[in-house]
Amino acid sequence: MSSTHRLDEPGALLLFASGAPGLVVTDVDSTLISQEVIEELAEAAGTRQRVAEITSRAMNGELDFAESLRERVATLAGVSASVFADVLASITPTPGARELIDAVHAAGGRFGVVSGGFEEVVAPLAASLGIDYYAANRLEVVDGALTGRVLGRIVTSQVKVECLRQWASSLGVPMERTVAIGDGANDIPMMNEAGVGIAFCAKPAVREQVAVQLNVPDLSLAIAPLGLSLA
């Protein structure tokens, strides 16, 4: 990897020398929001510690993401679907998240999120923040309770790359004018695919592979280096 470029240090270099990004895509858990949604769901199942351990290993690239997700979701079987509203009320956007979204929109760009988490939480979160695109997993619910299974495709690292490409193509935005931000190993391919990839308060294995880093939990620190400005 080339030398590390930290956006939270004084004199951070401009990443977009001319113009501004046309599309910014971020991960959700521990990037756009401060929490890991699956751990919040696991709290209701009494499996939080077990799930948190698996999540940490998966985000550091030690486990296959899809397999680890199925294992974690299995622990949620029997939890009432009302848990989604409780979790949505408890999560908090990362400092600077709203400012970054607003700055992207002010420059005429679009904002998307790709999540290994769940549509039941991500969709209303995206609506509340004015996010243009989202992709997330769906949990099976039968008779008002979670079954412990995932429905349809799992948002893997490759799916995140595909979403980035598809959204950019639909907007007519060249890949060199895209930005991807994430914290986990499953975000690395997306960050490598984008014109600019930013590792945000990332796991050690991620910091070793992504040169541009923001190691302070404040997404607004990416605004100026991306050639954007606060409205």
Side-chain angles (χ1 to χ4, degrees), residues 46-111:
T47 59
R48 186 182 189 117
Q49 182 175 353
R50 177 183 170 193
V51 165
E53 290 171 354
I54 298 170
T55 298
S56 178
R57 293 181 64 199
M59 292 303 96
N60 203 42
E62 298 172 27
L63 300 173
D64 175 79
F65 179 79
E67 290 181 9
S68 75
L69 181 69
R70 292 189 185 97
E71 183 179 352
R72 287 174 286 167
V73 168
T75 75
L76 306 178
V79 173
S80 170
S82 64
V83 72
F84 295 128
D86 297 336
V87 169
L88 186 62
S90 71
I91 62 177
T92 53
T94 298
R98 294 178 187 274
E99 290 83 354
L100 177 59
I101 294 166
D102 289 347
V104 171
H105 285 152
R110 294 291 181 268
F111 202 99

Side-chain angles (χ1 to χ4, degrees), residues 8 15 19 27 29 32 37 44 50 66 69 77 103 108 121 136 143-144 153 177 180 182 191 202 210 215:
D8 46 279
L15 299 174
D27 176 44
D29 296 356
L32 188 77
V37 166
R50 177 183 170 193
L69 181 69
V121 173
D143 296 330
R153 75 173 183 181
R177 290 190 59 230
M191 290 189 280
V210 181
N215 296 329

Side-chain angles (χ1 to χ4, degrees), residues 95-221:
R98 294 178 187 274
E99 290 83 354
L100 177 59
I101 294 166
D102 289 347
V104 171
H105 285 152
R110 294 291 181 268
F111 202 99
V113 294
V114 285
S115 177
F118 309 106
E119 187 173 316
E120 294 84 354
V121 173
V122 171
L125 174 70
S128 71
L129 293 173
I131 290 168
D132 304 289
Y133 303 99
Y134 71 85
N137 301 303
R138 291 184 61 215
L139 294 174
E140 184 179 60
V141 175
V142 175
D143 296 330
L146 278 66
T147 66
R149 291 189 290 270
V150 183
L151 292 172
R153 75 173 183 181
I154 289 179
V155 179
T156 62
S157 60
Q158 184 56 37
V159 170
K160 291 188 175 193
V161 170
E162 291 169 2
C163 287
L164 175 68
R165 290 173 178 164
Q166 289 168 5
W167 296 340
S169 177
S170 71
L171 293 167
V173 172
M175 291 303 295
E176 58 265 26
R177 290 190 59 230
T178 64
V179 176
I181 305 173
D183 72 296
N186 64 326
D187 297 314
I188 293 173
M190 173 180 72
M191 290 189 280
N192 289 339
E193 183 74 14
V196 172
I198 302 173
F200 178 74
C201 296
K203 307 302 183 289
V206 181
R207 292 198 302 270
E208 290 174 2
Q209 298 183 59
V210 181
V212 180
Q213 301 176 8
L214 177 49
N215 296 329
V216 172
D218 183 351
L219 285 168
S220 70
L221 295 176

